[in-house]
Amino acid sequence: MLLAMFMSLFAAMALQPPSLVVALDVHLLRQLAAKHNVTTIVVFGDSSVDPGNNNFLNTDLKGNFPPYGGNFVNHKSTGRLCDGLLAPDFIAEAMGHPPIPAFLDPTLTPADLPRGASFASAGSGYDDLTANISNVWSFSTQATYFLHYKIHLNKLVGPLESAKMINNAIFLMSMGSNDFLQNYLVDFTRQKQFTVEQYIDFLSSRMLDDAKMLHRLGARRLVVVGVPPMGCMPLIKYLKGQKTCVDQLNQIAFSFNSKIIKNLELLQSKFGLKTIYVDAYSTIQEAIKTPRKFGFLEASKGCCGTGTYEYGETCKDMNVCKDPTKYIFWDAVHPTQRMYQIIVKKAIASISEEFLV
């Protein structure tokens, strides 16, 4: 019955204007999440999904100062390396929840726990060495703090209810860029051990191990965001001295993403995990090639400072563009809130169809 309802609604959506389609997607997601008791979102990864855990770590990779957060509630610089919301925040919003909190946020209360938390740490990756280079949380550390979260949730709602919440939760992983940009391509440790192809395979095995660990910890629904077209980041083009995207880096991202997809298929067939792959690569690349189709006017540089090299500390207190919604990139590395919103819009229908029907 529910599947029939979804299919008829999906067919009707094809006849609706885009804005209404989005509203229908969000309404359906909220409806199905409530029906299937999906109240919790737990997040692991890097700066693409870190809402402020790094604020409390001894690292330079932070965004808890202006102009970051200019479009967030009350223009607050939360630590999100963005002008506003990140992708998990939009998923939470679609489910009727407030933005995903950082687990280390001191304002987090027991009442917030059932909605979930982010354990992500900007600068992290699938390779633990990547996190060690920047003195941030590795995935294994993030998973350890998730265990602390489970203990608190058990105390709040009891072990049986807690287990149900975790089994029904949406687990989200988003990382991989730093493994190449802040590790393999600039640090000689992994270059001495692996060719690029071998390192991609190494990361793929680590990603699979991470997903298996989440499964052991209770994950039954897993969303994995692919690596974006790294060669199109303004900073990378600036460092390479070229105006067009760096094809070599994009090929690396594309190759690694193909491994992620195969891993998710394996997790589905062997472990029964429900999985979704979010294709950030194709969505961002399409926006760069045809920006006006998405309402963008600037696709080659960021909104902060010159838009060519500033991110994190170098973006601090810099002047910004007048309208970030017209920009794909907020700083020289990270997308704008608007770009994240577009990526999530494409994912919401998949979450409804694959997870909740």
Side-chain angles (χ1 to χ4, degrees), residues 37-299:
N37 297 316
V38 178
T39 61
T40 309
I41 305 172
V42 287
V43 183
F44 304 85
D46 58 18
S47 59
S48 62
V49 288
D50 178 4
N53 284 310
N54 275 20
N55 298 351
F56 310 99
L57 304 183
N58 184 23
T59 178
D60 292 332
L61 292 175
K62 293 180 167 75
N64 58 340
F65 43 76
Y68 290 102
N71 286 320
F72 197 78
V73 180
N74 297 323
H75 311 291
K76 185 178 180 182
S77 301
T78 60
R80 290 168 172 82
L81 285 156
C82 181
D83 59 311
L85 299 175
L86 301 174
D89 299 319
F90 283 111
I91 295 174
E93 183 180 74
M95 291 172 60
H97 300 330
I100 302 286
F103 184 65
L104 291 184
D105 187 339
T107 66
L108 189 68
T109 67
D112 297 322
L113 295 179
R115 291 194 294 269
S118 176
F119 305 87
S121 181
S124 192
Y126 291 111
D127 184 351
D128 281 0
L129 177 61
T130 303
N132 295 340
I133 289 170
S134 300
N135 198 35
V136 299
W137 280 359
S138 63
F139 173 81
S140 54
T141 301
Q142 294 178 34
T144 298
Y145 277 92
F146 173 64
L147 286 173
H148 288 290
Y149 166 85
K150 289 182 70 176
I151 292 170
H152 290 298
L153 192 62
N154 283 347
K155 290 179 180 178
L156 182 69
V157 300
L160 289 178
E161 187 61 28
S162 173
K164 285 181 185 177
M165 284 182 173
I166 296 300
N167 288 159
N168 287 335
I170 293 173
F171 283 68
L172 188 147
M173 284 203 303
S174 177
M175 54 190 139
S177 298
N178 296 316
D179 291 313
F180 297 102
L181 300 179
Q182 297 197 126
N183 183 348
Y184 186 84
L185 296 174
V186 296
D187 186 276
F188 294 116
T189 304
R190 293 304 190 213
Q191 286 188 27
K192 291 176 181 176
Q193 297 173 313
F194 305 112
T195 64
V196 174
E197 291 77 14
Q198 289 170 339
Y199 189 60
I200 289 172
D201 287 338
F202 170 75
L203 288 182
S204 173
S205 69
R206 291 308 307 267
M207 177 263 154
L208 185 60
D209 288 343
D210 293 346
K212 289 178 182 178
M213 180 186 291
L214 292 181
H215 181 259
R216 289 194 298 271
L217 294 175
R220 298 297 179 264
R221 297 178 172 100
L222 177 64
V223 177
V224 178
V225 182
V227 173
M230 301 181 294
C232 295
M233 292 176 180
L235 176 64
I236 299 303
K237 293 188 294 181
Y238 173 80
L239 293 174
K240 288 286 187 179
Q242 62 186 70
K243 293 185 178 180
T244 57
C245 296
V246 181
D247 290 337
Q248 181 187 11
L249 280 176
N250 282 355
Q251 282 299 318
I252 289 172
F254 186 85
S255 178
F256 179 53
N257 286 337
S258 68
K259 303 278 185 181
I260 292 177
I261 293 169
K262 288 181 180 178
N263 283 345
L264 294 180
E265 291 171 354
L266 176 65
L267 290 164
Q268 276 188 315
S269 61
K270 191 171 181 180
F271 296 91
L273 260 174
K274 291 185 176 182
T275 65
I276 289 173
Y277 172 71
V278 178
D279 190 1
Y281 182 99
S282 296
T283 306
I284 293 175
Q285 196 169 58
E286 185 183 1
I288 290 170
K289 289 180 178 178
T290 56
R292 291 184 181 274
K293 175 182 174 182
F294 297 89
F296 295 120
L297 297 178
E298 178 57 67

